[in-house]
Amino acid sequence: MAAIHPTSTFRRGVPAGSTFSAEEIEMPTGSRAAPTATLLAKSKKTAKALAKSTELTHAQALERVAEDAGYSSWRELLRACESTGRTESVKDDMPVDPELPPDFDNTPNEERSTEELDTWWDRPFAQTRSDGTFDVRCLEGGAWDRATFYGTADTLEAARLLAKTKLANWQKCRSAPTVFLSGSEIKLIRMPQRPDDDAEVLYVAKDQEDATRWLEEHGNSENFKE
């Protein structure tokens, strides 16, 4: 296959005669694109457009986009971007006693505004207790209408460590492949990572054995349920 220059518009893998009707998106190519949230969002958008405009399935489009970004698979790109996100998710300026939006702990997550999700989703914060310790909480989907309680820490340093550990563990669990049975189809999907996101089809299995094999290679075979 012909190489694509770093500034070229993504067209790789489009069958001859196909019309790329969706918005064409420039993708970084070369040895390997840096794993960032921007790369992940752009890759998802590109794959969706490619699947709509060609004969590729969504799962195949994700693999093609990941390959062009310099990764061996979509799963590898996903894990790299998530790892970077987890590292950056808990910063030294973790909010302490922040002013939260009205009804913050009494609003279904799917009803929250994009602005609120951009500000608070996967962003731990601390609240000072009367004895000087800190309650650590985070809006990340563990609870359907409020921030998840991570625990109480004696110091801010301990609170940051608690937040980083708990959030990383939850993000790992939340992003794990899940089996979805739809009629005769067995799909391996990644559940939405925030309320305004979509589930991603990672693989369409031929049968239960194929699904189990894929999970053993990419996730956890215990996720397969009859």
Side-chain angles (χ1 to χ4, degrees):
M1 293 183 181
I4 300 178
H5 295 294
T7 57
S8 63
T9 302
F10 181 83
R11 304 262 318 175
R12 189 171 179 271
V14 179
S18 296
T19 301
F20 199 79
S21 57
E23 176 188 5
E24 292 182 320
I25 305 165
E26 289 189 355
M27 284 292 296
T29 58
S31 58
R32 184 164 183 161
T36 63
T38 299
L39 173 65
L40 185 59
K42 186 176 290 187
S43 297
K44 290 179 182 178
K45 189 174 182 181
T46 300
K48 184 177 292 187
L50 187 61
K52 288 181 179 179
S53 304
T54 73
E55 297 176 356
L56 294 176
T57 65
H58 185 238
Q60 290 171 333
L62 288 171
E63 294 296 326
R64 186 61 56 80
V65 169
E67 182 182 344
D68 280 325
Y71 294 81
S72 62
S73 66
W74 171 251
R75 190 65 183 165
E76 184 190 20
L77 185 152
L78 195 60
R79 284 175 172 170
C81 291
E82 287 175 349
S83 178
T84 301
R86 290 174 195 143
T87 302
E88 297 174 348
S89 61
V90 182
K91 301 179 180 179
D92 290 339
D93 62 345
M94 182 180 71
V96 178
D97 298 327
E99 182 177 349
L100 299 171
D103 292 323
F104 186 74
D105 285 320
N106 189 33
T107 299
N109 292 331
E110 63 271 15
E111 295 181 10
R112 299 181 191 273
S113 68
T114 299
E115 180 181 4
E116 183 174 334
L117 293 174
D118 288 344
T119 302
W120 292 107
W121 195 258
D122 281 358
R123 186 185 185 190
F125 58 91
Q127 294 175 310
T128 307
R129 297 167 57 93
S130 59
D131 61 359
T133 58
F134 301 92
D135 282 345
V136 181
R137 305 173 63 217
C138 184
L139 184 70
E140 29 79 309
W144 69 278
D145 66 344
R146 65 195 60 210
T148 302
F149 177 68
Y150 281 172
T152 302
D154 293 332
T155 66
L156 275 179
E157 182 179 358
R160 293 189 181 100
L161 179 60
L162 175 63
K164 182 176 182 179
T165 301
K166 290 281 190 177
L167 180 59
N169 288 341
W170 171 249
Q171 288 176 324
K172 181 179 180 180
C173 176
R174 190 179 64 193
S175 64
T178 301
V179 175
F180 179 76
L181 303 178
S182 178
S184 60
E185 281 193 329
I186 303 176
K187 296 181 179 179
L188 287 304
I189 68 172
R190 179 175 181 262
M191 299 301 290
Q193 297 303 289
R194 53 182 262 172
D196 56 353
D197 201 359
D198 296 322
E200 297 177 35
V201 178
L202 302 175
Y203 184 70
V204 179
K206 293 178 291 186
D207 49 35
Q208 178 176 339
E209 183 178 350
D210 187 33
T212 301
R213 176 197 58 75
W214 191 93
L215 283 170
E216 288 175 345
E217 293 179 357
H218 300 86
N220 185 350
S221 60
E222 294 180 359
N223 286 342
F224 192 95
K225 298 180 181 179
E226 294 284 359

